[in-house]
Amino acid sequence: VQLQASGGGLVQAEGSLRLSCAASGQTFSSSAVAWFRQAPGKEREFVAGIGGYTRYADSVKGRFTISRDNAKTTVYLQMNSLKPEDTAVYYCAARRTIVVHITTGDYDYWGQGTLVTVSS
């Protein structure tokens, strides 16, 4: 499975962006897909995941929404009310079960990352 992340960019605080993670090679029908992010000098952290259910980091609850298209080939991360501290490279990842985990090591496939910069 190859994952292609896109949609990053520069946005002002309180603005919105939508990230996309497209799969090639198979669908996400049997996979949990998650978004992680990594800010400069920090470890990669879980943001949101979707599988049999959705799961969010506390820092993004109520602002970010993860969803999946009906064909289950693309997962989206709608990011609203963005804050400067959301600035990071965002990565999508998939694992071979539908259980969402928050640990990077539990994911089998990774996309290339897309940069999100939020200015104050």
Side-chain angles (χ1 to χ4, degrees), residues 3 9 25 40 109-110:
L3 305 180
Y109 309 103
W110 288 85

Side-chain angles (χ1 to χ4, degrees), residues 82-98:
L82 283 161
K83 304 175 181 181
E85 51 264 43
D86 295 316
T87 295
V89 176
Y90 284 70
Y91 299 88
C92 63
R95 61 192 306 260
R96 289 187 287 260
T97 79
I98 62 170

